[in-house]
Amino acid sequence: MIRLTASLSALLLLTSLSVAGPAQDYADNCQDCHGAGRLGGVGPALIPETLGRMRGPDLDTVIRDGRKATQMPAFADILNDEQIEALAAFLKEPLGEVPDRTETEIAASLVINEDYQPVETPVWQSDPMNITLVVETGDHHVSVLDGDTFETLDRFATPFAVHGGPKFSPDGRYVFIMSRDGWVQKYDLYALQEVGRVRAGLNSRNIAMSHDGKWLAVANYLPMTLTILSTEDLSVATVMDVTAKDGTASRVSAVYQAPNRKSFILALKDAPEIWEVATDPDADPVYEGFVHSREKGMVEALPSSEGLFARRRILTAEPLDDFFFDDDYRHLVGASRDGARGVVVNLNVGREIAELPLEGMPHLGSGISWERDGHRVMATPHLKEGKLSVIDTETWKQIATIKTDGPGFFLRSHENTPYFWADVFFGPNKDEIHVIDKESLEIVKTLKPVEGATVAHVEFTKDGRYALVSVWEDDGAVIVYDATTLEEVRRLPMRKPSGKYNVWNKITFSEGTSH
Ligand code: DHE
């Protein structure tokens, strides 16, 4: 009897703890902004997949003190230290069940900017082809720069934690921006106004624009889908479940635009397959199934899909991601899971044709290519080794390894410059950026614009005359260099600027930029 009473009171205590515990604190204090189920509302989703990307102070501190220059208030007067700690731990727990994101739910999230006024011509005088966007991750904004004068034409708020390159419409008029929370924002560069936004996924990777500018694909981790939106009004064209041939559901590592193939290419995180999704209404039928025909007594191929969004599977030996594409999009190079090899896949015949020894986790998505000694070569940085690998894209042989002062994230060049630029993102030399000769493959200069600050990611102006470099810090800057003399010409203060994107370089698929 006594034992029963003790366990009963323990049970009661547990129950009361769980009722008044972090879940209840979440419901009382966080849910209004961050949504029921922690999936986001006006505030970002509070799930490990999103929080893992959080920069700056740790979660306990943010709950206690709030976040400056955002709507996140301080909870120090409402929750004690123990409650804050428990709440932070609760938010870091994975969700028990991954909710669906159906077409209806996506459509219901659409927010159109009521104040948006379309215009016939730009409301500014600058060269529309030389506009450059700077993503400022410090306070989740994008600055719109005139690429000739470097004046800021506008600075607008984005959803939380933008990742990957914004994608421009083929005429350079609109830009689409994606956050890791799955929001896709459409912004009119002529009117300098947001058109609207829609939540296409719960945890998303990146976006890609179709060859004709009509469709925008969104690669999702949560749920495991590819969402395709109409670029015109952000309506949902389709949501494709990403399920491998053997029935395994897979996250989509990334979706890429392959304009001259008139398709999207998908990297599957959890299955040994690459998908190609047609953006051409006249795409040939894709044959995937085989049946035995009783009448004909033979094996017949059945078309599984055709036309717009027809899906083709390319089977690989293991899952590959982080793709580099050659100029005509006939081949891609993907990284193997162990981060030690690059695998070359011929997309036309749909199979692997070569392997490259690329130890040290190549970051192929940042790869760039150029013509050297009559050969087209590509270079890739490595995330875990201080080196760049240079590969001949005709023979698929590695022709050089350039030693750097540390592992880097991004490479960039331009048709009109003899150099390519490589950051040293990780380690003690993160404040350096190497400028390398495209012919000799020698480092010609190492710039160190701000001692101790992370310096990374380069973008060129349309003509390749200036190179813009991010000082990736809260009180950071974009530094404009003369791309020939390598002298600094301007310093534009910015809040933790990350990627920069020039309209012309992006819509013409410049060889010096990742696509
Ligand atoms: Fe990125 C592009 C994947 C971490 C900043 N990153 C991309 C792309 C992919 C990718 C597939 C190409 C998409 C595109 O542009 O359409 N990134 C990954 C990862 O798998 C990785 C290593 C881990 C992850 O959690 O996602 C990763 N990336 C980061 C960062 O930590 C960076 C430095 C800071 C951040 O904002 O998260 C970062 N990634 C970027 C940027 C681009 C990018 C700025 C666009 C580069 C460009 O010039 O186009």
Side-chain angles (χ1 to χ4, degrees):
M1 182 67 190
I2 292 167
R3 272 170 75 196
L4 191 69
T5 311
S7 47
L8 191 66
S9 51
L11 185 72
L12 282 174
L13 180 67
L14 264 179
T15 317
S16 72
L17 268 182
S18 64
V19 168
Q24 190 59 45
D25 287 339
Y26 178 85
D28 293 346
N29 301 293
C30 320
Q31 190 164 298
D32 277 356
C33 291
H34 295 281
R38 294 154 51 198
L39 289 168
V42 285
L46 298 178
I47 52 178
E49 293 82 353
T50 305
L51 292 169
R53 308 306 314 168
M54 203 176 83
R55 298 282 179 275
D58 62 24
L59 196 48
D60 301 45
T61 313
V62 174
I63 299 171
R64 185 174 304 111
D65 303 337
R67 243 185 208 282
K68 266 195 217 134
T70 72
Q71 293 175 43
M72 174 68 190
F75 285 91
D77 293 343
I78 301 170
L79 302 170
N80 64 32
D81 281 355
E82 234 168 84
Q83 284 174 301
I84 290 175
E85 201 182 312
L87 182 55
F90 168 76
L91 299 178
K92 288 178 191 161
E93 285 291 315
L95 292 178
E97 213 170 274
V98 178
D100 261 357
R101 191 88 190 137
T102 61
E103 289 184 22
T104 320
E105 285 161 322
I106 297 171
S109 70
L110 179 66
V111 183
I112 291 294
N113 176 11
E114 301 288 342
D115 300 328
Y116 170 61
Q117 298 281 344
V119 290
E120 293 284 313
T121 50
V123 296
W124 31 266
Q125 304 302 316
S126 320
D127 173 1
M129 290 294 116
N130 200 19
I131 297 294
T132 298
L133 302 188
V134 183
V135 173
E136 293 180 69
T137 54
D139 61 355
H140 313 288
H141 275 70
V142 162
S143 284
V144 182
L145 298 185
D146 173 323
D148 294 304
T149 63
F150 304 112
E151 294 307 313
T152 304
L153 301 175
D154 189 24
R155 189 170 187 273
F156 61 93
T158 66
F160 179 80
V162 166
H163 181 242
K167 299 296 178 309
F168 296 98
S169 54
D171 59 1
R173 172 173 185 157
Y174 297 99
V175 66
F176 296 82
I177 297 168
M178 188 217 74
S179 75
R180 289 191 187 256
D181 260 4
W183 283 97
V184 173
Q185 177 182 34
K186 178 177 178 181
Y187 178 86
D188 181 343
L189 287 163
Y190 284 13
L192 297 180
Q193 280 188 308
E194 174 168 343
V195 181
R197 56 178 81 184
V198 68
R199 194 172 186 191
L202 298 172
N203 184 246
S204 304
R205 301 287 299 160
N206 78 322
I207 49 177
M209 172 72 65
S210 64
H211 69 285
D212 54 7
K214 287 187 175 160
W215 313 108
L216 192 82
V218 187
N220 298 318
Y221 265 7
L222 280 184
M224 299 186 198
T225 54
L226 181 81
T227 303
I228 302 183
L229 301 170
S230 155
T231 53
E232 191 175 348
D233 56 5
L234 297 179
S235 61
V236 187
T238 185
V239 179
M240 296 174 81
D241 281 325
V242 179
T243 309
K245 219 175 164 112
D246 68 1
T248 312
S250 174
R251 293 168 289 173
V252 187
S253 277
V255 56
Y256 301 88
Q257 39 205 35
N260 46 2
R261 301 182 69 81
K262 297 188 179 166
S263 65
F264 295 128
I265 306 284
L266 274 66
L268 270 55
K269 182 94 181 155
D270 308 302
E273 291 181 17
I274 294 167
W275 282 16
E276 178 162 31
V277 175
T279 52
D280 179 3
D282 304 319
D284 289 340
V286 179
Y287 292 88
E288 281 184 348
F290 292 88
V291 291
H292 188 262
S293 158
R294 277 200 200 128
E295 292 78 21
K296 294 181 189 158
M298 57 185 280
V299 175
E300 255 183 10
L302 287 180
S304 61
S305 54
E306 61 184 284
L308 192 61
F309 310 141
R311 190 272 327 271
R312 171 182 172 225
R313 296 174 199 268
I314 295 170
L315 305 184
T316 52
E318 60 178 320
L320 299 173
D321 63 5
D322 197 12
F323 295 162
F324 166 85
F325 294 87
D326 63 1
D327 285 5
D328 58 5
Y329 286 83
R330 204 147 52 95
H331 298 97
L332 67 76
V333 191
S336 67
R337 211 170 230 186
D338 59 10
R341 278 168 307 123
V343 177
V344 184
V345 176
N346 180 317
L347 290 167
N348 289 356
V349 297
R351 64 180 172 81
E352 300 176 4
I353 57 153
E355 211 176 278
L356 295 159
L358 292 175
E359 292 86 9
M361 200 170 273
H363 190 16
L364 292 157
S366 290
I368 55 165
S369 73
W370 69 94
E371 203 74 16
R372 177 177 181 265
D373 278 347
H375 287 250
R376 187 142 280 272
V377 298
M378 70 155 290
T380 178
H382 292 255
L383 298 175
K384 292 211 168 144
E385 266 183 54
K387 67 177 183 184
L388 308 170
S389 298
V390 185
I391 293 148
D392 186 320
T393 64
E394 284 146 35
T395 59
W396 296 112
K397 295 264 179 282
Q398 186 164 336
I399 53 169
T401 302
I402 303 166
K403 209 178 142 359
T404 60
D405 287 347
F409 224 102
F410 304 106
L411 293 185
R412 210 59 151 224
S413 188
H414 189 279
E415 288 82 351
N416 298 342
T417 167
Y419 308 128
F420 69 98
W421 298 50
D423 53 51
V424 181
F425 200 88
F426 305 98
N429 300 318
K430 63 184 178 145
D431 53 1
E432 291 183 0
I433 193 144
H434 297 303
V435 183
I436 302 164
D437 188 297
K438 291 200 260 187
E439 270 305 312
S440 69
L441 306 181
E442 299 287 336
I443 296 176
V444 293
K445 191 163 182 179
T446 296
L447 302 164
K448 198 188 245 205
V450 181
E451 188 86 28
T454 301
V455 175
H457 196 279
V458 180
E459 175 60 303
F460 287 81
T461 47
K462 170 185 153 189
D463 54 8
R465 206 167 145 206
Y466 297 102
L468 282 65
V469 177
S470 293
V471 179
W472 202 297
E473 300 289 339
D474 241 336
D475 53 348
V478 163
I479 302 183
V480 182
Y481 285 94
D482 182 307
T484 311
T485 63
L486 308 181
E487 294 298 329
E488 178 175 334
V489 293
R490 284 286 289 275
R491 199 171 274 225
L492 316 167
M494 301 264 173
R495 298 284 310 276
K496 202 178 255 189
S498 60
K500 299 161 298 302
Y501 310 89
N502 177 274
V503 168
W504 177 257
N505 296 340
K506 285 296 176 187
I507 65 175
T508 58
F509 290 80
S510 158
E511 64 177 20
T513 176
S514 42
H515 295 166

